[in-house]
Structures are given as C-alpha cells and as structure tokens.
Amino acid sequence: MFFDWSAIPGALPILWQGMIVTLQITLVGVLVGVLLGTLLALFRLSPSRLLSWFSATYVTIFRSIPLVMVLFWFHLVLIPLIVGLLFPGQRLELRFITALTAFSLFEASYYAEIIRAGILSVTKGQLSAGLALGMNRGQVMRLVILPQALRRMVPLLLTQAIILFQDSTLVYVINLDDFFRKAYNVGNTVGTLNELILFAGAVYLVICTLASGCVRQLHRKLTVLAR
Amino acid sequence: MISIRNVSKWYGEFQALKKCSTEVDKGEVVVICGPSGSGKSTLIKCVNGLESFQEGEILVDGISVTDRKTDLPKLRSRVGMVFQHFELFPHLSILDNITLAQCRVLGRSKKKAVEKAVQLLQMVGLAEQQPKFPAQLSGGQQQRVAIARALAMDPIAMLFDEPTSALDPEMINEVLDVMVNLAQSGMTMLVVTHEMGFAKKVADRVIFMDRGEVVEDQPKHTFFENPETERARQFLSKILTH
C-alpha cells in the first residue's frame, strides 16, 4: 500500500482554520470549566445543604454521561429549545455555541472534583489562622485557601486541559468543522482519507506530547518550590 | 478583659470541657498548663470562637463570643492568636503575611500596613526577612513572624496555643524572648504552654487543667510552691524533675 501525502501542503490553510476552532473550544472549555468548577467546588463544601446537594448532583450527572451523549443532547434538544424561546422564528447557526456550552458545562464537573480535592488539601489550620485575623470565611477562601489550592492543582488542571483538547474531536458528531473534521473532509474530497487521518493523528500526538512534557516540567518546579 | 464562665463542650458523647471558668484582667499574663488531652487548646480556641461550645459564656472586653448579634470577625480581629504550627500563609511573602489582614480587615492603606509590618519585624528581629517566603525561614523565625502578624492588628489581648511545642529545642528561646518582652510591655496574654520557665518568669497566674476541668487557678507562686491538688503536684513533679 502506498501513501499519497500530496494533498496535505495545499490543505494546510483549511486545516489551520479547523485548528483555530479546536483551540477555541479547548480554551473556552478550560476557562469556563475552571470558573464553574471552582464555583461548584465551593458549593459542594459550603455549609448549605441545598448548594452542596446541587453541586453533588451536577457532578454526578455529568460524570455519568458519555461526552458524545452530552454533545448530541445539547445539539438536538437543549440549545435549540433555549434559543427557540429567546429568539423565536429565527434560524441561527448554533453548532459552535453548542460545542462551547457542552464542553464548558461538562468540563466543569471534572474541574469541580479536582479543585475540591485542592481545597481539602489545604490544612484546617490555614482557615483558623485566617479567621483568627478577623477575615470572614469568604475572604479566607479567596485570599488564603483558593490561591494555595489552585497552585497545587495546576498540573492536574493542565492535564485535564490536554484531555479536553483531544476530546474536542468529538464535535465531529454535531458536524462542526474542527481540526479533525477538516482533515476528514479534505481526505474524503481528495480521495486520500487514510493519509489525512494519519496526519491529523500525528498532529494531536505531537501537540499533546509536548504539552505533557511542559506540565511535567512545571510539576517538578512546583514540587521544588513547595519544599 | 477575658471572662470564661462555666464553659462546657462535648464532642458527641465525650465531654471535652467541664464547667471551665476563669478571668484574665487587662495586662495580666495567665498560663494554662496540663497534660495533653486536658482541653487546654480547646478552651483557648473557644475564646475567639474558633471552637464552639454548648454551655457557658465567654466575654471578651464585655462582648459575648456566642451572642448571635456579635460581629465575630471583628471580635477576632481584636484578639491576636498564635498557633502551634505557625500557620503563616505559604503563598505570601513575610511582608504580605503581615499586611494582608491589616489592609483587608482594618482597611489600612498599604503604606501604613507596610510601616507597621516593618516596625514589628524589627521588634522580633527579622526586618531583613521581609521579602522571603515562610518556607525559607526556620521554625523559630516563622513563629516570630506569626507573632508580628497577630500584633499588627493592634490586639487588646493575645492568645498563644502551644507556641513552642512544634519547635526544635534551640529555637524555643528566641520565641519565648519575644513573648517575655511582650508580657513585660503590658500585653494581656493567655498562654497554653509547657514552658514552666516562661510561666515562672512572667505569668501572674497559672491554670492547671486535667480531663477538661480547671483543677487549679492560682497565683504563680502558690501554684509552683504549694499546689492545692495532688493532680497538679504530680504533673509538676513530672515536668520539673529534669
């Protein structure tokens, strides 16, 4: 079997467009995911039963459903329903918004557990010290505990971001042209599908390997600093 | 200044404090000692509401710790506390450790807070350490910073919860020296400690606790020379023989 890579150089600009979509989904997923995840972690640890229950339920639900299902469900039902209510009668291009929403909400459930573990890893003595100085609980959380928790969790948060970067290929199922789907389309049109998919896989491999290496380095540095 | 009246506390079935009472007047230095598990640390943490208790009352400068209407953060900001394990904030520099609550709680300007911090760091002999982080300091140095951090709030009284128990022996004195100076400057102090040398030097009274009870509450001379109870005598003979 011979490989024909000739379609790739000419397709690079198209593939780059797809990569931008992939990166946008990853970036928004991480940022919103961490923000929402922090909020969920705080809810989970709050003395309020209602908030704690809400957070636990949210996390359990999203962690128990395959990501593909979440994407499908958001694409077919939830987003059209909400947009239909807000902008009745209009036909809007919703796939990108759907992907961003689904990934953000899905990732939040994973980030929530990481951040909760981070908060619990900060000793109770730090809370006591903050309170003893006259800070209220919110201030102690914001100024003392969260900065330590997030710093400790940076390697895990970044590892989760790398997983999200790979998982973003699942937008394939809602016909959104990310990097992978662009490669697939080019291959399909030109007739060298195998080559394009191999190439796309190699790109993911290189990016993720490099990123993992950086996270390992960072982890080592943080461990040294923590001593 | 601090009134502890019939305070009882339970952890489930276990009674950690049994009708504990004492008074600490303005400018007084009171040392609490006793075997481990006797409730000393629990009692001192009740004073600024870090521990709750089910019965009794504690007043700080006339304000009840348990009253729902009490602004607990405000009350705490007026009572300094020093912990066994220092509890400096590891992600902040020494200077920021001392300025954080001044700015956030007392609303002091950054400039004023830094002035205060530098002045207190000089007092505890650590002025040159201000840009460092807690992990770069020895235990004794960290504890002195923790004292400076508490003093920066201009407290009306200071609580010490076994401030030298986590220190290597050669660092205990540098911390005790700071505490002795503080006592002699007229600060109201309630100190949980096993350092009987410190108690003999600066305490006005010594409280001996055992199994959650205040067993003795005496002027220091009476306590060391002529304790009333057998339990206190035994405790003293155990820690003073060497």
Side-chain angles (χ1 to χ4, degrees):
Chain A
M1 191 175 172
F2 296 99
F3 288 113
D4 175 9
W5 305 103
S6 61
I8 293 175
L12 284 179
I14 298 176
L15 294 177
W16 176 243
Q17 283 172 10
M19 184 51 83
I20 287 174
V21 172
T22 296
L23 292 175
Q24 280 171 330
I25 292 172
T26 307
L27 200 67
V28 172
V30 171
L31 289 179
V32 181
V34 168
L35 277 174
L36 279 180
T38 307
L39 208 61
L40 285 167
L42 292 177
F43 281 7
R44 184 70 186 269
L45 297 170
S46 86
S48 156
R49 284 237 181 123
L50 184 72
L51 291 180
S52 177
W53 173 86
F54 170 80
S55 171
T57 312
Y58 181 101
V59 170
T60 310
I61 289 177
F62 272 97
R63 293 184 69 137
S64 312
I65 304 175
L67 181 50
V68 181
M69 301 289 183
V70 176
L71 272 169
F72 258 132
W73 193 64
F74 271 58
H75 176 57
L76 295 175
V77 185
L78 200 66
I79 298 290
L81 198 74
I82 293 170
V83 175
L85 285 173
L86 291 177
F87 311 99
Q90 292 183 41
R91 287 191 64 81
L92 299 164
E93 171 48 52
L94 296 174
R95 283 176 297 183
F96 186 55
I97 298 290
T98 302
L100 293 182
T101 318
F103 274 102
S104 298
L105 296 182
F106 187 83
E107 290 302 314
S109 66
Y110 282 81
Y111 282 123
E113 292 295 273
I114 295 174
I115 292 163
R116 183 166 75 106
I119 291 173
L120 290 175
S121 78
V122 179
T123 58
K124 196 171 168 270
Q126 290 282 300
L127 173 68
S128 296
L131 292 177
L133 284 165
M135 289 191 261
N136 59 42
R137 275 174 185 274
Q139 286 176 314
V140 178
M141 191 49 89
R142 202 158 37 85
L143 303 168
V144 177
I145 295 180
L146 271 182
Q148 294 182 56
L150 288 174
R151 209 163 298 197
R152 267 178 222 186
M153 292 296 123
V154 161
L156 271 178
L157 296 173
L158 289 177
T159 303
Q160 184 64 26
I162 294 171
I163 297 172
L164 166 60
F165 176 71
Q166 297 168 24
D167 283 353
S168 67
T169 49
L170 287 172
V171 297
Y172 175 82
V173 300
I174 62 169
N175 290 332
L176 184 64
D177 287 348
D178 72 328
F179 178 71
F180 174 66
R181 196 178 166 84
K182 284 277 193 204
Y184 184 92
N185 289 345
V186 171
N188 223 4
T189 318
V190 182
T192 52
L193 185 56
N194 290 347
E195 287 82 348
L196 262 294
I197 288 181
L198 274 175
F199 174 70
V203 170
Y204 281 106
L205 181 72
V206 169
I207 291 178
C208 292
T209 311
L210 286 177
S212 298
C214 293
V215 174
R216 257 199 306 282
Q217 284 294 329
L218 184 72
H219 188 49
R220 212 167 290 158
K221 264 194 190 152
L222 286 175
T223 327
V224 172
L225 280 181
R227 291 298 116 219
Chain B
M1 181 71 73
I2 299 171
S3 307
I4 301 174
R5 296 174 187 164
N6 288 319
V7 169
S8 293
K9 177 180 176 69
W10 287 263
Y11 290 109
E13 292 287 291
F14 175 70
Q15 189 166 4
L17 297 175
K18 295 172 190 163
K19 291 200 175 296
C20 296
S21 295
T22 193
E23 297 276 333
V24 184
D25 290 333
K26 190 170 184 327
E28 227 183 353
V29 176
V30 175
V31 162
I32 307 180
C33 62
S36 54
S38 59
K40 324 178 284 289
S41 288
T42 309
L43 183 63
I44 201 174
K45 282 179 182 158
C46 288
V47 172
N48 63 351
L50 288 181
E51 289 276 359
S52 60
F53 49 93
Q54 286 87 1
E55 279 176 17
E57 186 179 38
I58 293 180
L59 301 178
V60 177
D61 198 23
I63 299 165
S64 164
V65 175
T66 44
D67 190 341
R68 282 178 159 271
K69 278 173 275 175
T70 298
D71 182 350
L72 206 50
K74 186 168 177 203
L75 183 147
R76 285 173 178 146
S77 74
R78 301 178 66 209
V79 182
M81 185 158 205
V82 175
F83 298 86
Q84 184 178 358
H85 295 289
F86 332 135
E87 303 299 350
L88 294 180
F89 304 134
H91 60 299
L92 299 178
S93 70
I94 298 308
L95 188 68
D96 290 342
N97 260 278
I98 305 179
T99 56
L100 180 72
Q102 290 188 67
C103 297
R104 300 290 181 150
V105 177
L106 301 180
R108 278 190 192 144
S109 68
K110 185 81 191 172
K111 189 164 161 279
K112 280 222 169 110
V114 169
E115 270 171 29
K116 182 92 190 172
V118 170
Q119 178 202 332
L120 285 165
L121 281 173
Q122 273 163 356
M123 191 191 95
V124 299
L126 294 169
E128 68 286 2
Q129 310 288 352
Q130 46 168 298
K132 290 192 182 166
F133 284 81
Q136 297 170 286
L137 269 54
S138 73
Q141 290 175 324
Q142 289 192 48
Q143 194 61 302
R144 285 186 278 156
V145 172
I147 294 172
R149 179 176 71 176
L151 289 174
M153 306 298 284
D154 293 323
I156 56 171
M158 287 282 286
L159 308 172
F160 292 82
D161 183 13
E162 305 207 28
T164 57
S165 302
L167 293 175
D168 292 334
E170 74 270 22
M171 294 173 185
I172 290 177
N173 279 333
E174 63 189 65
V175 172
L176 289 179
D177 286 344
V178 170
M179 291 169 62
V180 167
N181 285 338
L182 196 58
Q184 286 167 348
S185 76
M187 176 60 78
T188 308
M189 291 164 70
L190 186 57
V191 185
V192 173
T193 187
H194 292 121
E195 298 295 333
M196 289 303 121
F198 172 80
K200 282 183 176 165
K201 199 164 183 179
V202 293
D204 296 298
R205 283 185 4 253
V206 178
I207 292 172
F208 173 69
M209 288 183 70
D210 192 19
R211 290 175 216 152
E213 277 176 287
V214 171
V215 180
E216 300 227 10
D217 187 346
Q218 307 273 18
K220 73 173 164 194
H221 297 294
T222 318
F223 180 75
F224 285 116
E225 285 147 31
N226 198 11
E228 263 177 22
T229 61
E230 185 55 32
R231 278 195 271 180
R233 241 186 303 260
Q234 275 178 6
F235 177 77
L236 279 175
S237 72
K238 271 180 205 155
I239 60 169
L240 292 180
T241 41
H242 298 293

